[in-house]
Coordinates of all heavy atoms in Angstrom, one line a residue:
Chain A
N77 N -25.2 -24.1 7.1 CA -25.6 -23.3 8.3 C -25.0 -23.9 9.5 O -24.6 -23.2 10.5 CB -27.1 -23.2 8.4 CG -27.7 -22.3 7.4 OD1 -27.0 -21.8 6.5 ND2 -29.0 -22.1 7.5
K78 N -25.0 -25.2 9.6 CA -24.5 -25.9 10.8 C -23.1 -25.5 11.1 O -22.7 -25.3 12.2 CB -24.7 -27.4 10.6 CG -24.3 -28.2 11.9 CD -24.7 -29.6 11.8 CE -25.3 -30.1 13.1 NZ -26.8 -29.7 13.2
N81 N -22.9 -22.2 12.6 CA -23.4 -22.3 14.0 C -22.3 -22.9 14.9 O -22.1 -22.4 16.0 CB -24.7 -23.1 14.1 CG -25.8 -22.5 13.3 OD1 -25.8 -21.3 13.0 ND2 -26.8 -23.2 13.0
D148 N -23.1 -27.0 18.5 CA -23.7 -25.9 17.7 C -24.8 -25.2 18.6 O -25.8 -24.8 18.0 CB -24.3 -26.5 16.4 CG -25.5 -27.4 16.7 OD1 -25.6 -27.9 17.9 OD2 -26.3 -27.6 15.8
Y157 N -32.7 -26.8 23.3 CA -31.9 -27.1 22.1 C -30.7 -28.0 22.4 O -30.4 -28.9 21.7 CB -31.5 -25.8 21.4 CG -30.8 -26.1 20.1 CD1 -31.6 -26.4 19.0 CD2 -29.4 -26.1 20.0 CE1 -31.0 -26.7 17.8 CE2 -28.8 -26.4 18.8 CZ -29.6 -26.7 17.7 OH -29.0 -27.0 16.5
D160 N -31.4 -31.5 22.7 CA -31.9 -32.1 21.5 C -30.8 -32.3 20.4 O -30.9 -33.3 19.7 CB -33.0 -31.1 21.0 CG -33.8 -31.6 19.8 OD1 -34.3 -32.7 20.0 OD2 -33.9 -30.9 18.8
Q162 N -27.6 -33.1 18.1 CA -26.7 -34.3 18.0 C -25.3 -34.1 18.2 O -24.5 -35.0 18.2 CB -26.9 -34.9 16.5 CG -28.3 -35.3 16.2 CD -28.8 -36.5 17.0 OE1 -28.3 -37.6 16.8 NE2 -29.8 -36.3 17.8
P244 N -38.7 -29.9 28.4 CA -40.2 -30.0 28.7 C -40.7 -31.4 28.2 O -41.7 -31.8 28.8 CB -40.8 -28.9 27.9 CG -39.7 -28.4 26.9 CD -38.4 -28.8 27.5
D249 N -38.1 -27.8 32.9 CA -38.4 -26.4 32.6 C -37.2 -25.7 31.9 O -36.2 -25.5 32.5 CB -38.7 -25.6 33.9 CG -39.0 -24.2 33.7 OD1 -38.9 -23.7 32.6 OD2 -39.4 -23.5 34.7
Q254 N -31.9 -21.1 32.0 CA -31.4 -19.7 31.8 C -31.1 -19.1 33.1 O -30.1 -18.3 33.3 CB -32.4 -18.9 31.0 CG -32.6 -19.5 29.6 CD -33.6 -18.7 28.8 OE1 -33.8 -17.5 29.0 NE2 -34.3 -19.4 27.9
R285 N 2.0 10.1 35.9 CA 2.9 10.5 37.0 C 2.0 11.3 38.1 O 2.4 12.4 38.5 CB 4.0 11.4 36.5 CG 5.1 11.5 37.5 CD 6.3 12.3 37.0 NE 7.1 11.6 36.1 CZ 8.1 12.1 35.4 NH1 8.4 13.4 35.5 NH2 8.8 11.4 34.5
G290 N -9.0 9.3 43.8 CA -10.1 8.5 44.5 C -9.8 7.1 44.7 O -10.6 6.2 44.4
F293 N -12.4 5.0 46.4 CA -13.6 4.8 45.6 C -13.4 3.8 44.6 O -14.3 3.0 44.3 CB -14.1 6.2 45.0 CG -14.7 7.1 46.0 CD1 -13.9 7.9 46.9 CD2 -16.1 7.0 46.2 CE1 -14.5 8.7 47.8 CE2 -16.7 7.9 47.2 CZ -15.9 8.7 48.0
T315 N -37.1 -11.0 27.8 CA -38.1 -11.4 26.8 C -38.4 -12.9 27.0 O -39.1 -13.5 26.2 CB -37.6 -11.2 25.4 OG1 -36.5 -12.1 25.2 CG2 -37.2 -9.8 25.1
S316 N -37.9 -13.5 28.1 CA -38.1 -15.0 28.2 C -39.4 -15.4 28.7 O -39.8 -16.6 28.7 CB -37.0 -15.5 29.2 OG -37.4 -15.1 30.5
E320 N -43.5 -9.9 35.2 CA -43.2 -8.5 35.0 C -42.5 -7.9 36.3 O -41.7 -7.0 36.2 CB -44.4 -7.7 34.7 CG -44.9 -7.7 33.3 CD -45.6 -9.0 32.9 OE1 -46.0 -9.8 33.8 OE2 -45.9 -9.3 31.7
S327 N -34.3 -4.9 36.2 CA -33.9 -3.7 35.5 C -33.4 -2.7 36.5 O -32.3 -2.1 36.2 CB -35.2 -3.2 34.8 OG -34.9 -1.9 34.3
F331 N -29.4 -1.1 36.6 CA -29.0 0.3 36.5 C -28.1 0.6 37.7 O -27.1 1.4 37.6 CB -30.2 1.2 36.5 CG -30.8 1.4 35.2 CD1 -32.1 0.9 34.9 CD2 -30.1 2.0 34.2 CE1 -32.6 1.0 33.6 CE2 -30.7 2.2 32.9 CZ -31.9 1.7 32.7
I339 N -18.1 5.6 38.4 CA -17.2 6.2 39.3 C -15.7 5.9 38.9 O -14.9 6.8 38.9 CB -17.4 5.6 40.7 CG1 -18.7 6.2 41.3 CG2 -16.3 6.0 41.7 CD1 -19.2 5.6 42.6
N343 N -12.9 8.7 37.8 CA -11.7 8.8 38.6 C -10.4 8.7 37.7 O -9.4 9.4 37.9 CB -11.6 7.8 39.7 CG -12.4 8.3 40.9 OD1 -12.1 9.3 41.5 ND2 -13.4 7.5 41.3
R350 N -3.6 17.7 35.2 CA -2.4 18.3 35.7 C -1.3 17.2 35.8 O -0.3 17.4 36.6 CB -2.5 19.1 37.0 CG -3.4 20.3 36.8 CD -3.5 21.1 38.1 NE -2.2 21.7 38.5 CZ -2.1 22.2 39.7 NH1 -3.0 22.3 40.6 NH2 -0.9 22.8 40.0
G351 N -1.4 16.1 35.0 CA -0.4 15.1 35.1 C 0.8 15.5 34.1 O 0.8 16.5 33.5
S352 N 1.7 14.5 34.0 CA 2.7 14.6 32.9 C 2.6 13.3 32.1 O 3.1 12.3 32.4 CB 4.1 14.6 33.6 OG 5.1 14.4 32.7
I353 N 1.8 13.5 31.0 CA 1.2 12.3 30.4 C 2.2 11.8 29.2 O 2.5 12.6 28.3 CB -0.2 12.6 29.8 CG1 -1.1 12.9 31.0 CG2 -0.7 11.4 29.0 CD1 -2.4 13.5 30.6
L374 N -22.2 2.9 28.4 CA -23.4 3.7 28.0 C -24.4 2.9 27.2 O -25.6 3.1 27.4 CB -22.9 5.0 27.3 CG -22.2 6.0 28.1 CD1 -21.6 7.1 27.2 CD2 -23.2 6.7 29.1
A383 N -38.1 -0.8 27.9 CA -38.8 -0.6 26.6 C -37.8 -0.9 25.5 O -38.2 -1.5 24.5 CB -39.3 0.8 26.6
I386 N -36.5 -4.7 24.9 CA -37.3 -5.7 24.2 C -37.0 -5.6 22.7 O -36.9 -6.7 22.0 CB -38.8 -5.3 24.4 CG1 -39.2 -5.3 25.8 CG2 -39.7 -6.1 23.5 CD1 -39.0 -6.6 26.5
H387 N -36.7 -4.4 22.1 CA -36.4 -4.3 20.7 C -35.0 -4.8 20.4 O -34.7 -5.4 19.4 CB -36.6 -2.9 20.3 CG -36.1 -2.6 18.9 ND1 -36.7 -3.2 17.8 CD2 -35.2 -1.8 18.3 CE1 -36.1 -2.8 16.7 NE2 -35.2 -2.0 17.0
H389 N -32.9 -6.8 22.4 CA -32.4 -8.1 22.9 C -32.2 -9.1 21.7 O -33.0 -9.2 20.8 CB -33.5 -8.7 23.8 CG -33.1 -10.0 24.4 ND1 -32.2 -10.1 25.4 CD2 -33.6 -11.2 24.1 CE1 -32.1 -11.4 25.7 NE2 -32.9 -12.1 25.0
D390 N -31.1 -9.9 21.8 CA -30.8 -10.9 20.8 C -30.6 -10.3 19.4 O -30.8 -11.0 18.4 CB -31.8 -12.0 20.8 CG -31.4 -13.1 21.8 OD1 -30.2 -13.3 22.0 OD2 -32.3 -13.9 22.2
S454 N -29.8 -2.1 16.1 CA -30.9 -1.1 16.2 C -31.9 -1.3 15.1 O -33.1 -1.2 15.2 CB -30.4 0.3 16.3 OG -29.6 0.5 17.4
Q455 N -31.4 -1.6 13.9 CA -32.2 -1.7 12.7 C -33.0 -3.1 12.7 O -33.8 -3.3 11.9 CB -31.4 -1.7 11.4 CG -30.8 -0.3 11.1 CD -31.9 0.7 10.6 OE1 -33.1 0.3 10.5 NE2 -31.6 1.9 10.4
G456 N -32.6 -3.9 13.6 CA -33.4 -5.2 13.8 C -32.7 -6.4 13.3 O -33.3 -7.5 13.1
R460 N -26.6 -14.4 15.6 CA -26.5 -15.9 15.3 C -27.2 -16.3 14.0 O -27.8 -17.3 14.0 CB -27.0 -16.7 16.5 CG -26.2 -16.5 17.8 CD -26.7 -17.2 19.0 NE -25.7 -17.2 20.1 CZ -25.9 -17.7 21.3 NH1 -27.1 -18.2 21.6 NH2 -25.0 -17.6 22.2
Y461 N -27.1 -15.4 13.0 CA -27.7 -15.7 11.7 C -26.6 -16.0 10.7 O -25.7 -15.2 10.5 CB -28.5 -14.4 11.2 CG -30.0 -14.4 11.6 CD1 -30.4 -15.1 12.7 CD2 -30.9 -13.8 10.7 CE1 -31.8 -15.1 13.0 CE2 -32.2 -13.8 11.0 CZ -32.7 -14.5 12.2 OH -34.0 -14.5 12.5
T463 N -27.3 -16.5 7.5 CA -27.7 -15.8 6.3 C -28.6 -14.6 6.8 O -29.1 -14.6 7.9 CB -28.5 -16.6 5.4 OG1 -29.7 -17.1 6.1 CG2 -27.8 -17.8 4.9
D465 N -30.9 -10.7 5.6 CA -31.6 -9.9 4.6 C -30.6 -8.9 3.8 O -29.7 -8.4 4.5 CB -32.7 -9.0 5.2 CG -33.9 -9.9 5.6 OD1 -33.9 -11.0 5.2 OD2 -34.8 -9.3 6.2
G540 N 4.2 12.8 42.4 CA 3.9 14.3 42.6 C 4.4 14.8 43.9 O 4.9 14.1 44.8
V541 N 4.3 16.1 44.0 CA 4.8 16.8 45.2 C 3.7 17.6 45.8 O 2.8 18.1 45.1 CB 6.0 17.7 44.9 CG1 7.2 16.9 44.5 CG2 5.6 18.7 43.8
E542 N 3.7 17.7 47.1 CA 2.6 18.5 47.8 C 2.7 19.9 47.3 O 3.8 20.5 47.3 CB 2.9 18.4 49.3 CG 2.9 17.0 49.9 CD 1.5 16.4 50.1 OE1 0.5 17.1 49.8 OE2 1.4 15.3 50.5
Chain B
T4 N -35.0 5.4 10.2 CA -33.9 6.4 10.4 C -32.6 5.7 10.4 O -32.5 4.5 10.2 CB -34.2 7.2 11.7 OG1 -34.2 6.2 12.7 CG2 -35.5 7.9 11.7
F5 N -31.5 6.5 10.6 CA -30.2 6.0 10.6 C -30.1 4.8 11.6 O -29.5 3.8 11.3 CB -29.2 7.0 11.0 CG -27.7 6.6 10.9 CD1 -27.2 6.3 9.6 CD2 -27.0 6.4 12.0 CE1 -25.9 5.8 9.6 CE2 -25.7 6.0 11.9 CZ -25.1 5.7 10.7
F6 N -30.7 5.0 12.8 CA -30.5 3.9 13.8 C -31.7 3.0 13.8 O -31.6 1.8 14.0 CB -30.4 4.5 15.2 CG -28.9 4.9 15.5 CD1 -28.6 6.3 15.4 CD2 -28.0 4.0 15.7 CE1 -27.3 6.7 15.7 CE2 -26.6 4.4 16.0 CZ -26.3 5.7 15.9
P8 N -35.5 1.1 12.7 CA -36.3 0.7 11.5 C -37.6 1.5 11.5 O -37.9 2.4 12.4 CB -36.6 -0.8 11.8 CG -36.4 -1.0 13.2 CD -35.5 0.1 13.7
Y22 N -35.4 5.3 23.5 CA -34.1 5.1 22.8 C -33.3 6.4 22.5 O -32.1 6.5 22.9 CB -34.4 4.4 21.4 CG -33.1 4.0 20.6 CD1 -32.6 2.7 20.7 CD2 -32.5 4.9 19.8 CE1 -31.5 2.3 20.0 CE2 -31.4 4.5 19.1 CZ -30.9 3.2 19.2 OH -29.8 2.9 18.5
S29 N -26.2 9.6 26.3 CA -25.0 8.9 26.1 C -24.0 9.7 25.3 O -22.8 9.8 25.6 CB -25.2 7.5 25.4 OG -26.0 6.7 26.1
Y47 N -1.6 18.4 29.1 CA -0.7 17.9 30.2 C 0.3 16.9 29.6 O 0.7 16.0 30.4 CB -1.4 17.4 31.4 CG -2.4 18.5 32.0 CD1 -3.7 18.3 32.0 CD2 -1.9 19.7 32.5 CE1 -4.6 19.2 32.5 CE2 -2.7 20.6 33.1 CZ -4.1 20.4 33.1 OH -4.9 21.3 33.6
R49 N 3.6 15.0 28.5 CA 5.0 15.1 29.1 C 5.9 15.9 28.2 O 6.1 15.6 27.1 CB 5.5 13.7 29.3 CG 6.8 13.7 30.1 CD 7.2 12.4 30.7 NE 6.2 11.9 31.6 CZ 6.2 10.7 32.2 NH1 7.2 9.9 32.0 NH2 5.3 10.4 33.1
P52 N 11.4 14.8 30.9 CA 11.4 13.6 31.9 C 11.4 14.1 33.3 O 11.1 13.3 34.2 CB 12.7 12.9 31.6 CG 13.2 13.5 30.3 CD 12.6 14.8 30.1
D54 N 9.3 16.6 34.5 CA 8.1 17.2 34.8 C 7.7 17.0 36.3 O 7.7 15.9 36.8 CB 6.9 16.7 34.0 CG 6.9 17.4 32.6 OD1 7.8 18.3 32.4 OD2 6.1 17.0 31.8
V55 N 7.3 18.1 36.9 CA 6.8 17.9 38.3 C 5.3 18.0 38.3 O 4.7 18.8 37.6 CB 7.4 19.0 39.2 CG1 6.8 18.9 40.6 CG2 8.9 18.9 39.3
T56 N 4.6 17.1 39.0 CA 3.2 17.0 39.0 C 2.7 17.2 40.5 O 3.4 16.9 41.4 CB 2.7 15.7 38.5 OG1 3.3 14.6 39.3 CG2 2.9 15.5 37.0
P57 N 1.5 17.8 40.6 CA 0.9 18.0 42.0 C 0.4 16.7 42.6 O 0.0 15.8 41.8 CB -0.2 19.0 41.7 CG -0.7 18.7 40.3 CD 0.5 18.2 39.6
K58 N 0.4 16.6 43.8 CA 0.0 15.4 44.5 C -1.5 15.6 44.9 O -1.9 16.0 46.0 CB 0.8 15.2 45.8 CG 0.7 13.8 46.4 CD 1.5 13.7 47.7 CE 2.1 12.4 48.0 NZ 3.3 12.1 47.2
T60 N -5.0 13.7 45.5 CA -5.3 12.3 45.7 C -6.8 12.0 45.7 O -7.2 11.0 45.2 CB -4.8 11.8 47.1 OG1 -5.3 12.7 48.1 CG2 -3.3 11.9 47.1
E66 N -16.5 13.1 44.2 CA -17.0 11.8 44.2 C -18.5 11.7 44.4 O -19.2 11.0 43.7 CB -16.3 10.9 45.2 CG -14.8 10.8 45.1 CD -14.3 9.9 44.0 OE1 -15.1 9.2 43.4 OE2 -13.1 9.9 43.7
S70 N -21.3 10.6 41.6 CA -22.1 9.4 41.9 C -23.6 9.8 41.9 O -24.4 9.0 41.5 CB -21.8 8.9 43.3 OG -20.4 8.6 43.4
I77 N -30.2 7.6 36.1 CA -30.6 6.2 35.8 C -31.9 5.9 36.4 O -32.7 5.1 35.9 CB -29.5 5.2 36.3 CG1 -29.3 5.3 37.8 CG2 -28.2 5.2 35.5 CD1 -28.4 4.2 38.4
F81 N -34.7 4.3 34.2 CA -35.4 3.1 34.6 C -36.9 3.3 34.6 O -37.7 2.4 34.1 CB -34.9 2.7 36.0 CG -35.9 1.8 36.8 CD1 -36.0 0.4 36.4 CD2 -36.7 2.3 37.8 CE1 -36.9 -0.4 37.0 CE2 -37.6 1.4 38.4 CZ -37.7 0.1 38.0
G84 N -38.4 3.6 31.1 CA -38.3 2.3 30.4 C -39.4 1.4 30.9 O -40.0 0.6 30.2
R92 N -46.7 -4.7 27.6 CA -47.1 -6.0 28.1 C -48.6 -6.1 28.3 O -49.1 -7.2 28.3 CB -46.4 -6.2 29.5 CG -44.9 -6.3 29.5 CD -44.5 -7.5 28.6 NE -45.1 -8.7 28.9 CZ -45.2 -9.7 28.0 NH1 -44.8 -9.6 26.8 NH2 -45.8 -10.9 28.4
K107 N -39.3 -25.8 14.5 CA -38.1 -25.8 13.6 C -38.6 -26.0 12.2 O -39.0 -27.2 11.9 CB -37.1 -26.8 14.0 CG -36.4 -26.5 15.3 CD -35.2 -27.3 15.5 CE -35.4 -28.5 16.4 NZ -34.3 -29.3 16.7
I142 N -36.8 -23.4 22.2 CA -37.2 -22.0 22.4 C -37.0 -21.2 21.1 O -35.9 -21.3 20.5 CB -36.5 -21.4 23.6 CG1 -36.8 -22.1 24.9 CG2 -36.9 -19.9 23.8 CD1 -36.0 -21.7 26.1
Y146 N -40.1 -11.9 16.7 CA -39.5 -10.6 16.6 C -39.9 -9.9 15.4 O -39.7 -10.4 14.3 CB -38.0 -10.7 16.7 CG -37.2 -9.4 16.6 CD1 -37.8 -8.2 17.2 CD2 -36.0 -9.3 16.0 CE1 -37.0 -7.0 17.2 CE2 -35.3 -8.1 16.0 CZ -35.8 -7.0 16.6 OH -35.1 -5.8 16.5
K153 N -41.0 -8.1 20.6 CA -40.2 -9.4 20.7 C -40.6 -10.1 21.9 O -40.8 -9.6 23.0 CB -38.7 -9.0 20.9 CG -37.8 -10.3 20.8 CD -36.3 -10.0 21.0 CE -35.7 -9.3 19.8 NZ -35.2 -8.0 20.3
Q154 N -40.8 -11.4 21.8 CA -41.2 -12.3 22.9 C -40.8 -13.7 22.6 O -41.0 -14.2 21.5 CB -42.8 -12.3 23.1 CG -43.3 -13.2 24.2 CD -42.7 -12.8 25.5 OE1 -42.8 -11.7 26.0 NE2 -42.2 -13.8 26.2
D155 N -40.1 -14.3 23.6 CA -39.7 -15.7 23.5 C -40.9 -16.6 23.4 O -41.9 -16.3 24.0 CB -38.8 -16.1 24.6 CG -37.4 -15.5 24.6 OD1 -37.2 -14.6 23.7 OD2 -36.5 -15.9 25.4
P158 N -41.6 -24.0 24.8 CA -42.4 -25.2 24.8 C -43.1 -25.3 26.2 O -42.5 -24.9 27.2 CB -41.4 -26.3 24.5 CG -40.1 -25.7 24.9 CD -40.2 -24.3 24.6
R160 N -45.6 -24.0 27.6 CA -46.0 -22.8 28.3 C -46.5 -21.8 27.3 O -46.0 -21.8 26.2 CB -44.9 -22.3 29.2 CG -44.7 -20.8 29.2 CD -43.5 -20.3 30.1 NE -43.0 -21.2 31.1 CZ -42.0 -20.8 32.0 NH1 -41.5 -19.7 31.9 NH2 -41.5 -21.7 32.9
R175 N -41.1 -7.6 8.3 CA -40.4 -8.8 8.5 C -40.6 -9.4 9.9 O -40.6 -8.7 10.9 CB -38.9 -8.5 8.4 CG -38.0 -9.6 8.0 CD -38.4 -10.3 6.8 NE -37.3 -10.7 6.0 CZ -37.4 -11.7 5.1 NH1 -38.6 -12.3 5.0 NH2 -36.4 -12.1 4.4
Y177 N -38.8 -12.1 12.4 CA -37.6 -12.9 12.6 C -37.7 -13.9 13.8 O -38.5 -13.6 14.7 CB -36.4 -12.1 12.9 CG -35.9 -11.1 11.8 CD1 -36.2 -9.8 11.9 CD2 -35.3 -11.6 10.6 CE1 -35.8 -8.9 10.9 CE2 -34.9 -10.7 9.6 CZ -35.1 -9.4 9.8 OH -34.7 -8.5 8.8
C178 N -36.9 -14.9 13.8 CA -36.7 -15.7 15.0 C -35.5 -15.1 15.7 O -34.4 -15.1 15.1 CB -36.6 -17.2 14.8 SG -36.2 -18.0 16.3
A179 N -35.6 -14.6 16.9 CA -34.5 -14.0 17.6 C -33.8 -14.9 18.6 O -32.8 -14.5 19.2 CB -35.0 -12.7 18.3
E180 N -34.4 -16.1 18.9 CA -33.7 -17.0 19.8 C -33.1 -18.1 19.0 O -33.9 -18.9 18.3 CB -34.6 -17.5 20.9 CG -34.0 -18.3 22.0 CD -32.9 -17.6 22.7 OE1 -33.3 -16.7 23.5 OE2 -31.7 -17.9 22.6
Y181 N -31.8 -18.3 19.1 CA -31.1 -19.3 18.3 C -31.8 -20.7 18.5 O -32.0 -21.2 19.6 CB -29.6 -19.4 18.7 CG -28.9 -20.5 18.1 CD1 -28.7 -20.5 16.7 CD2 -28.5 -21.7 18.8 CE1 -28.0 -21.5 16.1 CE2 -27.9 -22.7 18.2 CZ -27.6 -22.6 16.8 OH -27.0 -23.7 16.2
G183 N -31.1 -23.5 15.9 CA -30.5 -24.6 15.1 C -30.3 -24.2 13.7 O -30.3 -23.0 13.3
D184 N -30.1 -25.2 12.8 CA -29.7 -25.0 11.4 C -30.5 -24.0 10.7 O -29.9 -23.2 9.9 CB -29.7 -26.3 10.7 CG -28.7 -27.3 11.2 OD1 -27.9 -27.0 12.1 OD2 -28.8 -28.5 10.8
H186 N -32.3 -21.5 11.8 CA -32.6 -20.3 12.6 C -32.7 -19.0 11.7 O -33.6 -18.2 11.8 CB -31.6 -20.2 13.7 CG -31.6 -18.9 14.5 ND1 -32.8 -18.5 15.1 CD2 -30.7 -18.0 14.8 CE1 -32.6 -17.4 15.8 NE2 -31.3 -17.0 15.6
S187 N -31.7 -18.8 10.9 CA -31.6 -17.6 10.2 C -32.6 -17.5 9.0 O -32.8 -16.5 8.4 CB -30.2 -17.3 9.7 OG -29.8 -18.3 8.7
Q188 N -33.2 -18.7 8.7 CA -34.3 -18.6 7.6 C -35.7 -18.8 8.2 O -36.6 -18.9 7.5 CB -34.0 -19.7 6.6 CG -32.9 -19.4 5.7 CD -31.8 -20.4 5.7 OE1 -31.3 -20.8 6.7 NE2 -31.3 -20.8 4.5
R286 N -32.2 -36.8 9.5 CA -32.9 -37.0 10.7 C -34.4 -36.9 10.5 O -34.9 -36.1 9.6 CB -32.5 -35.9 11.8 CG -31.1 -36.1 12.2 CD -30.8 -35.0 13.3 NE -31.5 -35.2 14.5 CZ -31.6 -34.3 15.5 NH1 -31.1 -33.1 15.3 NH2 -32.3 -34.6 16.6

Side-chain angles (χ1 to χ4, degrees):
Chain A
N77 289 3
K78 184 168 225 80
N81 297 341
D148 69 339
Y157 186 77
D160 190 49
Q162 299 291 296
D249 181 351
Q254 297 179 27
R285 201 178 281 173
F293 284 85
T315 66
S316 70
E320 280 80 9
S327 170
F331 278 113
I339 288 174
N343 279 301
R350 294 179 67 190
S352 165
I353 297 166
L374 288 168
I386 299 302
H387 175 61
H389 181 74
D390 269 333
S454 297
Q455 290 287 358
R460 295 177 169 175
Y461 265 32
T463 59
D465 285 353
V541 293
E542 303 281 357
Chain B
T4 57
F5 184 69
F6 279 103
Y22 183 95
S29 301
Y47 303 115
R49 185 163 297 176
D54 278 356
V55 176
T56 52
K58 200 184 206 81
T60 58
E66 300 286 352
S70 306
I77 58 172
F81 161 74
R92 295 303 307 155
K107 289 193 262 183
I142 299 175
Y146 179 34
K153 185 182 290 121
Q154 176 61 51
D155 287 8
R160 139 178 341 181
R175 204 54 145 158
Y177 296 107
C178 176
E180 184 63 68
Y181 173 69
D184 295 352
H186 173 54
S187 65
Q188 283 124 314
R286 292 180 69 192

